[in-house]
Coordinates of all heavy atoms in Angstrom, one line a residue:
M1 N 29.8 -10.7 -103.0 CA 28.3 -10.9 -103.2 C 27.5 -10.4 -101.9 O 26.4 -10.0 -102.1 CB 27.9 -12.4 -103.5 CG 28.4 -12.8 -104.8 SD 28.1 -14.5 -105.3 CE 26.8 -15.0 -104.2
R2 N 28.2 -10.5 -100.8 CA 27.5 -10.1 -99.5 C 26.1 -10.7 -99.4 O 25.2 -10.1 -98.9 CB 27.4 -8.6 -99.4 CG 28.8 -7.9 -99.4 CD 28.7 -6.6 -98.9 NE 30.0 -5.8 -99.0 CZ 30.9 -5.9 -98.1 NH1 30.7 -6.5 -97.0 NH2 32.0 -5.2 -98.3
S3 N 26.1 -12.0 -99.7 CA 24.8 -12.7 -99.5 C 24.9 -13.6 -98.2 O 25.2 -14.7 -98.3 CB 24.5 -13.6 -100.7 OG 23.3 -14.3 -100.6
Y4 N 24.6 -12.9 -97.1 CA 24.7 -13.6 -95.9 C 23.8 -14.7 -95.6 O 23.9 -15.6 -94.8 CB 24.8 -12.6 -94.7 CG 25.8 -11.5 -94.8 CD1 25.5 -10.2 -95.0 CD2 27.2 -12.0 -94.9 CE1 26.5 -9.3 -95.2 CE2 28.2 -11.0 -95.1 CZ 27.8 -9.7 -95.2 OH 28.9 -8.8 -95.3
T5 N 22.6 -14.6 -96.3 CA 21.6 -15.5 -96.1 C 22.0 -16.9 -96.6 O 21.6 -17.9 -96.0 CB 20.3 -15.2 -96.9 OG1 20.6 -14.9 -98.3 CG2 19.7 -13.9 -96.2
L6 N 22.8 -17.0 -97.7 CA 23.5 -18.2 -98.1 C 24.3 -18.8 -97.1 O 24.4 -20.1 -96.8 CB 24.2 -18.0 -99.4 CG 23.4 -17.6 -100.6 CD1 24.3 -17.4 -101.8 CD2 22.4 -18.8 -101.0
V7 N 25.1 -18.0 -96.3 CA 26.0 -18.5 -95.3 C 25.2 -19.1 -94.2 O 25.4 -20.1 -93.7 CB 26.9 -17.4 -94.8 CG1 27.7 -17.8 -93.7 CG2 27.8 -16.9 -96.0
F8 N 24.2 -18.3 -93.7 CA 23.3 -18.8 -92.6 C 22.6 -20.1 -93.0 O 22.5 -21.0 -92.2 CB 22.3 -17.8 -92.3 CG 22.7 -16.7 -91.4 CD1 22.8 -15.4 -91.8 CD2 23.2 -16.9 -90.1 CE1 23.2 -14.3 -91.1 CE2 23.6 -15.9 -89.4 CZ 23.7 -14.7 -89.7
G9 N 22.1 -20.2 -94.2 CA 21.5 -21.4 -94.7 C 22.4 -22.6 -94.7 O 22.0 -23.7 -94.5
D10 N 23.6 -22.3 -95.1 CA 24.6 -23.4 -95.2 C 25.0 -23.9 -93.8 O 25.0 -25.2 -93.6 CB 25.9 -23.0 -95.9 CG 26.9 -24.1 -96.1 OD1 26.4 -25.2 -96.5 OD2 28.1 -23.9 -96.0
I11 N 25.2 -23.0 -92.9 CA 25.5 -23.4 -91.5 C 24.5 -24.1 -90.9 O 24.6 -25.2 -90.3 CB 26.0 -22.2 -90.7 CG1 27.3 -21.6 -91.2 CG2 26.1 -22.5 -89.2 CD1 27.7 -20.3 -90.5
F12 N 23.2 -23.5 -90.8 CA 22.1 -24.1 -90.1 C 21.6 -25.3 -90.8 O 21.0 -26.2 -90.3 CB 21.1 -23.0 -89.8 CG 21.5 -22.0 -88.8 CD1 21.7 -20.7 -89.1 CD2 21.8 -22.4 -87.5 CE1 22.2 -19.7 -88.2 CE2 22.3 -21.5 -86.6 CZ 22.4 -20.2 -87.0
G13 N 21.5 -25.3 -92.2 CA 21.1 -26.4 -92.9 C 21.9 -27.7 -92.7 O 21.4 -28.7 -92.5
G14 N 23.2 -27.6 -92.6 CA 24.0 -28.6 -92.3 C 23.9 -29.2 -91.0 O 23.8 -30.4 -90.7
N15 N 23.8 -28.3 -90.0 CA 23.5 -28.7 -88.5 C 22.1 -29.4 -88.4 O 21.9 -30.4 -87.8 CB 23.6 -27.6 -87.6 CG 25.0 -27.1 -87.4 OD1 26.0 -27.8 -87.8 ND2 25.2 -25.9 -86.8
A16 N 21.0 -28.9 -89.1 CA 19.7 -29.4 -89.1 C 19.8 -30.8 -89.7 O 19.1 -31.7 -89.2 CB 18.7 -28.5 -89.8
F17 N 20.5 -30.9 -90.8 CA 20.5 -32.3 -91.4 C 21.1 -33.3 -90.6 O 20.6 -34.4 -90.4 CB 21.3 -32.1 -92.7 CG 21.4 -33.4 -93.5 CD1 20.2 -33.9 -94.2 CD2 22.6 -34.2 -93.6 CE1 20.3 -35.2 -94.9 CE2 22.6 -35.3 -94.2 CZ 21.5 -35.8 -95.0
Q18 N 22.2 -32.9 -89.8 CA 22.8 -33.9 -88.9 C 21.8 -34.2 -87.8 O 21.8 -35.4 -87.4 CB 24.1 -33.3 -88.3 CG 25.2 -33.2 -89.3 CD 26.4 -32.6 -88.8 OE1 26.5 -32.0 -87.7 NE2 27.5 -32.6 -89.5
L19 N 21.1 -33.2 -87.3 CA 20.1 -33.6 -86.2 C 19.0 -34.5 -86.7 O 18.6 -35.4 -86.0 CB 19.4 -32.3 -85.7 CG 20.3 -31.4 -84.9 CD1 19.6 -30.1 -84.5 CD2 20.8 -32.1 -83.6
I20 N 18.6 -34.3 -88.0 CA 17.6 -35.3 -88.5 C 18.2 -36.6 -88.7 O 17.5 -37.7 -88.4 CB 17.2 -34.8 -89.9 CG1 16.5 -33.4 -89.9 CG2 16.3 -35.8 -90.7 CD1 15.2 -33.5 -89.0
L21 N 19.5 -36.9 -89.0 CA 20.1 -38.1 -89.1 C 20.1 -38.7 -87.6 O 19.9 -40.0 -87.6 CB 21.5 -38.0 -89.6 CG 21.7 -37.7 -91.1 CD1 23.1 -37.6 -91.4 CD2 20.9 -38.7 -92.0
F22 N 20.4 -37.9 -86.6 CA 20.3 -38.6 -85.3 C 18.9 -39.0 -84.9 O 18.7 -40.0 -84.2 CB 20.8 -37.5 -84.2 CG 22.4 -37.3 -84.3 CD1 22.9 -36.1 -84.4 CD2 23.2 -38.5 -84.2 CE1 24.3 -35.9 -84.5 CE2 24.6 -38.2 -84.3 CZ 25.0 -37.0 -84.4
V23 N 17.9 -38.2 -85.3 CA 16.5 -38.6 -85.0 C 16.1 -39.9 -85.7 O 15.6 -40.8 -85.1 CB 15.6 -37.5 -85.4 CG1 14.1 -38.0 -85.4 CG2 15.7 -36.3 -84.4
L24 N 16.6 -40.0 -87.0 CA 16.4 -41.2 -87.7 C 17.1 -42.5 -87.1 O 16.6 -43.5 -87.0 CB 16.8 -41.0 -89.2 CG 16.7 -42.2 -90.1 CD1 15.2 -42.6 -90.2 CD2 17.4 -42.0 -91.4
A25 N 18.3 -42.2 -86.6 CA 19.0 -43.2 -85.9 C 18.3 -43.7 -84.6 O 18.3 -44.9 -84.4 CB 20.5 -42.8 -85.6
D26 N 17.8 -42.7 -83.9 CA 17.1 -43.0 -82.7 C 15.8 -43.8 -83.0 O 15.5 -44.8 -82.3 CB 16.6 -41.7 -82.0 CG 17.8 -41.0 -81.3 OD1 19.0 -41.6 -81.3 OD2 17.6 -39.9 -80.9
L27 N 15.1 -43.4 -84.0 CA 13.9 -44.3 -84.5 C 14.2 -45.6 -84.9 O 13.5 -46.6 -84.5 CB 13.2 -43.4 -85.6 CG 12.5 -42.2 -85.1 CD1 11.9 -41.4 -86.3 CD2 11.5 -42.4 -84.1
L28 N 15.3 -45.8 -85.7 CA 15.6 -47.1 -86.1 C 16.2 -48.1 -85.0 O 15.9 -49.2 -84.9 CB 16.8 -47.1 -87.2 CG 16.3 -46.5 -88.6 CD1 17.4 -46.3 -89.5 CD2 15.2 -47.4 -89.2
A29 N 16.9 -47.4 -84.0 CA 17.4 -48.2 -82.9 C 16.4 -48.4 -81.8 O 16.5 -49.3 -81.0 CB 18.6 -47.5 -82.3
G30 N 15.3 -47.6 -81.8 CA 14.3 -47.8 -80.8 C 14.7 -47.2 -79.4 O 14.0 -47.3 -78.4
Q31 N 15.9 -46.5 -79.4 CA 16.3 -45.8 -78.2 C 17.4 -44.8 -78.6 O 17.9 -44.7 -79.7 CB 17.0 -46.9 -77.3 CG 18.3 -47.5 -78.0 CD 18.8 -48.6 -77.0 OE1 18.4 -48.8 -76.0 NE2 19.7 -49.4 -77.6
P32 N 17.7 -43.8 -77.7 CA 18.7 -42.7 -78.1 C 19.9 -43.4 -78.3 O 20.6 -44.2 -77.6 CB 18.7 -41.9 -76.8 CG 17.4 -42.1 -76.1 CD 17.1 -43.6 -76.4
V33 N 20.6 -43.1 -79.4 CA 21.9 -43.6 -79.8 C 23.1 -42.9 -79.2 O 24.1 -43.4 -78.9 CB 22.1 -43.8 -81.2 CG1 21.0 -44.8 -81.9 CG2 21.9 -42.4 -82.0
L34 N 23.0 -41.6 -79.0 CA 24.1 -40.8 -78.6 C 24.5 -41.0 -77.1 O 25.7 -40.9 -76.7 CB 24.0 -39.4 -78.8 CG 24.2 -38.9 -80.2 CD1 23.9 -37.4 -80.3 CD2 25.4 -39.2 -80.8
T35 N 23.5 -41.5 -76.3 CA 23.8 -41.7 -74.9 C 24.7 -42.9 -74.7 O 25.4 -43.0 -73.7 CB 22.5 -41.9 -74.1 OG1 21.8 -43.0 -74.7 CG2 21.6 -40.6 -74.1
H36 N 24.8 -43.8 -75.7 CA 25.6 -45.0 -75.5 C 27.0 -44.8 -76.2 O 27.8 -45.7 -76.1 CB 24.9 -46.2 -76.3 CG 23.6 -46.5 -75.7 ND1 23.4 -47.0 -74.5 CD2 22.4 -46.3 -76.3 CE1 22.1 -47.2 -74.3 NE2 21.4 -46.7 -75.4
E37 N 27.2 -43.6 -76.8 CA 28.4 -43.5 -77.5 C 29.5 -42.8 -76.6 O 30.7 -42.8 -77.0 CB 28.3 -42.6 -78.8 CG 27.5 -43.2 -79.8 CD 28.0 -44.6 -80.2 OE1 29.2 -44.7 -80.4 OE2 27.2 -45.5 -80.3
G38 N 29.2 -42.3 -75.5 CA 30.2 -41.9 -74.5 C 30.5 -40.4 -74.6 O 29.9 -39.7 -75.3
R39 N 31.5 -40.1 -73.8 CA 31.9 -38.6 -73.6 C 32.6 -38.1 -74.8 O 32.4 -36.8 -75.1 CB 32.8 -38.5 -72.4 CG 32.2 -38.9 -71.1 CD 33.0 -38.6 -69.9 NE 34.3 -39.3 -70.0 CZ 35.4 -39.1 -69.3 NH1 35.3 -38.2 -68.4 NH2 36.5 -39.6 -69.5
A40 N 33.2 -38.9 -75.7 CA 34.0 -38.4 -76.8 C 33.0 -37.7 -77.8 O 33.3 -36.7 -78.3 CB 34.8 -39.4 -77.4
N41 N 32.0 -38.5 -78.1 CA 30.9 -37.9 -79.1 C 30.3 -36.7 -78.5 O 29.9 -35.8 -79.3 CB 30.0 -39.0 -79.4 CG 30.6 -39.9 -80.5 OD1 31.4 -39.6 -81.3 ND2 30.2 -41.2 -80.3
A42 N 30.0 -36.7 -77.2 CA 29.4 -35.5 -76.6 C 30.3 -34.3 -76.7 O 29.9 -33.2 -76.9 CB 29.0 -35.8 -75.2
W43 N 31.6 -34.5 -76.5 CA 32.6 -33.5 -76.6 C 32.7 -32.9 -78.1 O 32.6 -31.7 -78.3 CB 33.9 -34.1 -76.2 CG 35.1 -33.0 -76.3 CD1 35.9 -32.9 -77.4 CD2 35.4 -32.0 -75.4 NE1 36.7 -31.8 -77.1 CE2 36.5 -31.3 -75.9 CE3 34.8 -31.6 -74.2 CZ2 37.0 -30.2 -75.2 CZ3 35.4 -30.5 -73.5 CH2 36.5 -29.8 -74.1
I44 N 32.6 -33.8 -79.0 CA 32.6 -33.4 -80.4 C 31.4 -32.6 -80.7 O 31.5 -31.5 -81.5 CB 32.7 -34.6 -81.4 CG1 34.2 -35.3 -81.3 CG2 32.5 -34.2 -82.8 CD1 34.3 -36.6 -82.0
G45 N 30.2 -33.0 -80.3 CA 29.0 -32.2 -80.5 C 29.1 -30.9 -79.9 O 28.7 -29.9 -80.4
M46 N 29.6 -30.8 -78.6 CA 29.8 -29.5 -78.0 C 30.7 -28.6 -78.8 O 30.4 -27.3 -78.9 CB 30.2 -29.7 -76.5 CG 30.3 -28.3 -75.7 SD 31.4 -28.4 -74.4 CE 33.0 -28.7 -75.2
I47 N 31.8 -29.1 -79.2 CA 32.8 -28.2 -80.0 C 32.1 -27.8 -81.3 O 32.2 -26.7 -81.6 CB 34.0 -29.0 -80.3 CG1 34.8 -29.3 -79.0 CG2 34.9 -28.3 -81.3 CD1 35.2 -28.1 -78.2
G48 N 31.3 -28.6 -81.9 CA 30.5 -28.2 -83.1 C 29.5 -27.0 -82.9 O 29.4 -26.1 -83.6
L49 N 28.8 -27.2 -81.7 CA 27.9 -26.0 -81.4 C 28.7 -24.8 -81.1 O 28.2 -23.8 -81.5 CB 27.1 -26.5 -80.1 CG 26.0 -27.5 -80.3 CD1 25.4 -28.0 -79.0 CD2 24.9 -27.0 -81.2
V50 N 29.8 -24.9 -80.4 CA 30.5 -23.7 -80.1 C 31.1 -23.1 -81.3 O 31.1 -21.8 -81.5 CB 31.6 -24.0 -79.0 CG1 32.6 -22.7 -78.9 CG2 31.0 -24.4 -77.7
M51 N 31.7 -23.9 -82.2 CA 32.2 -23.4 -83.4 C 31.1 -22.7 -84.3 O 31.3 -21.7 -84.9 CB 32.8 -24.5 -84.3 CG 34.1 -25.1 -83.6 SD 35.5 -23.9 -83.8 CE 36.0 -24.4 -85.5
T52 N 29.9 -23.3 -84.4 CA 28.8 -22.6 -85.0 C 28.5 -21.3 -84.5 O 28.3 -20.3 -85.2 CB 27.6 -23.6 -85.1 OG1 27.9 -24.9 -85.6 CG2 26.4 -23.0 -85.8
A53 N 28.5 -21.2 -83.2 CA 28.2 -19.9 -82.6 C 29.3 -18.9 -82.9 O 28.9 -17.7 -83.1 CB 28.1 -20.1 -81.0
V54 N 30.4 -19.3 -82.9 CA 31.5 -18.3 -83.3 C 31.3 -17.9 -84.7 O 31.5 -16.7 -85.0 CB 32.9 -19.0 -83.1 CG1 34.0 -18.1 -83.7 CG2 33.2 -19.2 -81.6
Y55 N 31.1 -18.8 -85.6 CA 30.9 -18.4 -87.1 C 29.7 -17.5 -87.2 O 29.8 -16.5 -88.0 CB 30.8 -19.6 -88.0 CG 32.1 -20.4 -88.1 CD1 32.2 -21.7 -87.9 CD2 33.3 -19.7 -88.4 CE1 33.4 -22.4 -88.2 CE2 34.5 -20.4 -88.6 CZ 34.5 -21.7 -88.5 OH 35.6 -22.4 -88.6
V56 N 28.6 -17.8 -86.5 CA 27.4 -17.0 -86.7 C 27.8 -15.6 -86.1 O 27.4 -14.5 -86.7 CB 26.2 -17.5 -85.9 CG1 25.1 -16.6 -85.8 CG2 25.7 -18.8 -86.7
A57 N 28.5 -15.5 -84.9 CA 28.9 -14.2 -84.4 C 29.8 -13.4 -85.3 O 29.6 -12.2 -85.5 CB 29.5 -14.5 -83.0
G58 N 30.6 -14.1 -86.0 CA 31.6 -13.5 -86.9 C 30.8 -12.9 -88.1 O 31.1 -11.9 -88.6
I59 N 29.7 -13.6 -88.6 CA 29.0 -13.1 -89.7 C 28.1 -12.0 -89.4 O 28.0 -11.0 -90.1 CB 28.0 -14.3 -90.2 CG1 28.9 -15.4 -91.0 CG2 27.1 -13.7 -91.3 CD1 28.2 -16.7 -91.2
L60 N 27.5 -12.0 -88.1 CA 26.7 -10.9 -87.8 C 27.5 -9.6 -87.3 O 27.0 -8.5 -87.7 CB 25.8 -11.4 -86.5 CG 24.8 -12.4 -86.8 CD1 24.1 -12.8 -85.5 CD2 23.8 -11.8 -87.7
L61 N 28.6 -9.8 -86.7 CA 29.3 -8.6 -86.2 C 30.2 -8.0 -87.3 O 30.4 -6.8 -87.4 CB 30.2 -9.0 -85.0 CG 29.4 -9.5 -83.8 CD1 30.3 -9.9 -82.7 CD2 28.4 -8.5 -83.3
R62 N 30.8 -8.9 -88.1 CA 31.7 -8.4 -89.2 C 32.6 -7.3 -88.9 O 32.7 -6.2 -89.4 CB 30.8 -7.8 -90.4 CG 29.8 -8.9 -90.9 CD 30.5 -9.9 -91.8 NE 31.2 -9.3 -92.9 CZ 32.0 -10.0 -93.6 NH1 32.2 -11.3 -93.4 NH2 32.6 -9.6 -94.6
H63 N 33.4 -7.5 -87.8 CA 34.4 -6.5 -87.3 C 35.5 -6.4 -88.4 O 36.1 -7.4 -88.8 CB 35.0 -6.9 -86.1 CG 35.6 -5.8 -85.3 ND1 37.0 -5.6 -85.4 CD2 35.2 -5.0 -84.4 CE1 37.2 -4.5 -84.7 NE2 36.2 -4.1 -83.9
P64 N 35.8 -5.1 -88.8 CA 36.8 -4.9 -89.9 C 38.2 -5.2 -89.4 O 39.1 -5.4 -90.3 CB 36.5 -3.5 -90.3 CG 36.0 -2.9 -89.1 CD 35.2 -3.9 -88.4
R65 N 38.6 -5.1 -88.1 CA 39.9 -5.2 -87.8 C 40.4 -6.7 -88.0 O 39.8 -7.6 -87.7 CB 40.0 -4.7 -86.3 CG 41.4 -4.8 -85.8 CD 41.5 -4.1 -84.6 NE 43.0 -4.1 -84.2 CZ 43.5 -3.3 -83.3 NH1 42.8 -2.4 -82.7 NH2 44.7 -3.3 -83.1
R66 N 41.6 -6.7 -88.4 CA 42.3 -8.0 -88.7 C 43.6 -8.1 -87.9 O 44.2 -7.1 -87.6 CB 42.7 -8.1 -90.1 CG 41.5 -7.9 -91.1 CD 40.9 -9.2 -91.5 NE 39.8 -9.0 -92.4 CZ 38.6 -9.5 -92.3 NH1 38.3 -10.1 -91.1 NH2 37.6 -9.3 -93.1
Y67 N 44.0 -9.3 -87.5 CA 45.1 -9.6 -86.8 C 45.9 -10.6 -87.6 O 45.4 -11.7 -87.8 CB 44.8 -10.2 -85.3 CG 44.0 -9.2 -84.5 CD1 42.6 -9.5 -84.5 CD2 44.5 -8.2 -83.9 CE1 41.7 -8.6 -83.8 CE2 43.7 -7.3 -83.2 CZ 42.4 -7.5 -83.2 OH 41.5 -6.7 -82.4
A68 N 47.1 -10.3 -88.1 CA 47.9 -11.2 -89.0 C 47.1 -11.6 -90.2 O 47.2 -12.7 -90.6 CB 48.4 -12.4 -88.2
G69 N 46.2 -10.7 -90.7 CA 45.4 -11.0 -91.9 C 44.2 -11.6 -91.8 O 43.4 -11.8 -92.8
I70 N 43.8 -12.1 -90.5 CA 42.5 -12.7 -90.4 C 41.7 -12.1 -89.2 O 42.4 -11.5 -88.4 CB 42.6 -14.3 -90.2 CG1 43.3 -14.6 -88.9 CG2 43.3 -14.9 -91.3 CD1 43.4 -16.0 -88.6
G71 N 40.4 -12.2 -89.2 CA 39.6 -11.6 -88.2 C 39.6 -12.3 -86.9 O 40.1 -13.4 -86.7
A72 N 39.0 -11.6 -85.9 CA 39.1 -12.2 -84.5 C 38.2 -13.5 -84.5 O 38.5 -14.4 -83.7 CB 38.5 -11.1 -83.5
D73 N 37.1 -13.6 -85.3 CA 36.4 -14.7 -85.2 C 37.1 -16.0 -85.8 O 36.9 -17.1 -85.3 CB 35.1 -14.6 -86.1 CG 35.3 -14.1 -87.5 OD1 36.3 -13.5 -87.8 OD2 34.5 -14.5 -88.3
S74 N 38.0 -15.7 -86.8 CA 38.8 -16.9 -87.3 C 39.9 -17.3 -86.2 O 40.1 -18.4 -86.2 CB 39.4 -16.4 -88.6 OG 38.5 -16.3 -89.6
W75 N 40.4 -16.4 -85.5 CA 41.4 -16.7 -84.5 C 40.6 -17.5 -83.4 O 41.2 -18.4 -82.8 CB 42.0 -15.4 -83.9 CG 43.1 -14.8 -84.7 CD1 43.1 -13.7 -85.4 CD2 44.4 -15.5 -85.0 NE1 44.3 -13.6 -86.1 CE2 45.1 -14.6 -85.8 CE3 44.9 -16.7 -84.6 CZ2 46.3 -14.9 -86.3 CZ3 46.2 -16.9 -85.0 CH2 46.9 -16.1 -85.9
A76 N 39.4 -17.1 -83.1 CA 38.6 -17.7 -82.0 C 38.3 -19.1 -82.5 O 38.5 -20.1 -81.7 CB 37.3 -17.0 -81.7
A77 N 37.9 -19.3 -83.8 CA 37.7 -20.7 -84.3 C 38.9 -21.6 -84.3 O 38.8 -22.7 -83.9 CB 37.1 -20.5 -85.7
L78 N 40.0 -20.9 -84.6 CA 41.3 -21.7 -84.6 C 41.6 -22.2 -83.1 O 42.0 -23.3 -82.9 CB 42.4 -20.8 -85.2 CG 43.8 -21.6 -85.2 CD1 43.8 -22.8 -86.1 CD2 44.8 -20.5 -85.7
L79 N 41.5 -21.3 -82.2 CA 41.7 -21.6 -80.8 C 40.8 -22.7 -80.3 O 41.2 -23.6 -79.6 CB 41.6 -20.3 -79.9 CG 41.9 -20.6 -78.4 CD1 43.3 -20.9 -78.2 CD2 41.5 -19.3 -77.6
I80 N 39.5 -22.6 -80.6 CA 38.5 -23.5 -80.2 C 38.9 -24.9 -80.9 O 38.8 -25.9 -80.2 CB 37.1 -23.1 -80.6 CG1 36.8 -21.9 -79.7 CG2 36.1 -24.2 -80.3 CD1 35.6 -21.2 -80.2
Y81 N 39.3 -24.9 -82.1 CA 39.6 -26.1 -82.8 C 40.8 -26.8 -82.1 O 40.8 -28.0 -81.9 CB 39.9 -25.8 -84.3 CG 40.4 -27.1 -85.0 CD1 39.4 -28.0 -85.5 CD2 41.7 -27.3 -85.3 CE1 39.7 -29.1 -86.1 CE2 42.0 -28.5 -86.0 CZ 41.1 -29.4 -86.4 OH 41.4 -30.5 -87.1
V82 N 41.9 -26.0 -81.8 CA 43.1 -26.6 -81.2 C 42.7 -27.1 -79.8 O 43.1 -28.3 -79.4 CB 44.2 -25.6 -81.2 CG1 45.4 -26.1 -80.3 CG2 44.8 -25.3 -82.5
L83 N 42.0 -26.4 -79.0 CA 41.7 -26.8 -77.7 C 40.6 -27.9 -77.8 O 40.7 -28.8 -76.9 CB 41.1 -25.6 -76.8 CG 42.1 -24.5 -76.5 CD1 41.3 -23.4 -75.8 CD2 43.3 -25.0 -75.7
G84 N 39.7 -27.9 -78.7 CA 38.8 -28.9 -78.9 C 39.5 -30.3 -79.2 O 39.1 -31.3 -78.7
T85 N 40.5 -30.2 -80.1 CA 41.2 -31.4 -80.5 C 42.0 -31.9 -79.2 O 42.0 -33.2 -79.0 CB 42.2 -31.2 -81.6 OG1 41.4 -30.6 -82.7 CG2 42.9 -32.3 -82.0
W86 N 42.6 -31.1 -78.5 CA 43.3 -31.4 -77.2 C 42.4 -32.0 -76.2 O 42.7 -33.1 -75.7 CB 44.0 -30.3 -76.7 CG 44.8 -30.5 -75.4 CD1 45.8 -31.4 -75.2 CD2 44.5 -30.0 -74.1 NE1 46.2 -31.3 -73.8 CE2 45.4 -30.5 -73.2 CE3 43.4 -29.0 -73.7 CZ2 45.3 -30.1 -71.9 CZ3 43.4 -28.7 -72.4 CH2 44.4 -29.3 -71.5
G87 N 41.3 -31.5 -76.1 CA 40.2 -31.9 -75.1 C 39.7 -33.3 -75.6 O 39.4 -34.2 -74.7
F88 N 39.5 -33.5 -76.9 CA 39.1 -34.7 -77.4 C 40.1 -35.9 -77.1 O 39.6 -37.0 -76.7 CB 38.8 -34.8 -78.9 CG 38.4 -36.0 -79.6 CD1 37.2 -36.4 -79.3 CD2 39.3 -36.7 -80.4 CE1 36.7 -37.6 -79.9 CE2 38.9 -37.9 -80.9 CZ 37.6 -38.3 -80.7
V89 N 41.3 -35.6 -77.2 CA 42.4 -36.6 -76.8 C 42.2 -37.0 -75.4 O 42.4 -38.1 -75.0 CB 43.7 -36.1 -77.3 CG1 44.8 -37.0 -76.7 CG2 43.8 -36.0 -78.8
L90 N 42.0 -35.9 -74.6 CA 41.9 -36.2 -73.1 C 40.7 -37.0 -72.8 O 40.7 -37.9 -72.0 CB 41.9 -34.9 -72.4 CG 43.2 -34.2 -72.3 CD1 43.1 -32.8 -71.6 CD2 44.4 -35.0 -71.8
V91 N 39.6 -36.6 -73.4 CA 38.2 -37.2 -73.1 C 38.2 -38.7 -73.7 O 37.7 -39.5 -73.0 CB 37.1 -36.5 -73.7 CG1 35.8 -37.1 -73.7 CG2 37.0 -35.1 -72.9
S92 N 38.8 -38.9 -74.8 CA 38.7 -40.3 -75.5 C 39.7 -41.2 -74.9 O 39.6 -42.4 -75.1 CB 38.7 -40.2 -76.9 OG 40.0 -39.7 -77.3
G93 N 40.8 -40.7 -74.2 CA 41.9 -41.5 -73.8 C 41.6 -42.2 -72.5 O 41.2 -43.0 -71.9

């Protein structure tokens, strides 16, 4: 279909919805809620931002070369996921 606007809408719409939930939680609590959750949640948020940037770059660049059947953006996302999970274990432990 090559409808990249749907992909962008899905990525940014999901992230925007999560931000609205955090704003709602801040309003209900009367104070910022993420500052009390510690480094582990900050780490997860950072990994989410980096993964979003990788996916957006993959959509925009659309490099045709594949390695073992998948694109460089998918390899980058896999590496970030593995390192992010390892970092999460270190940060939360």
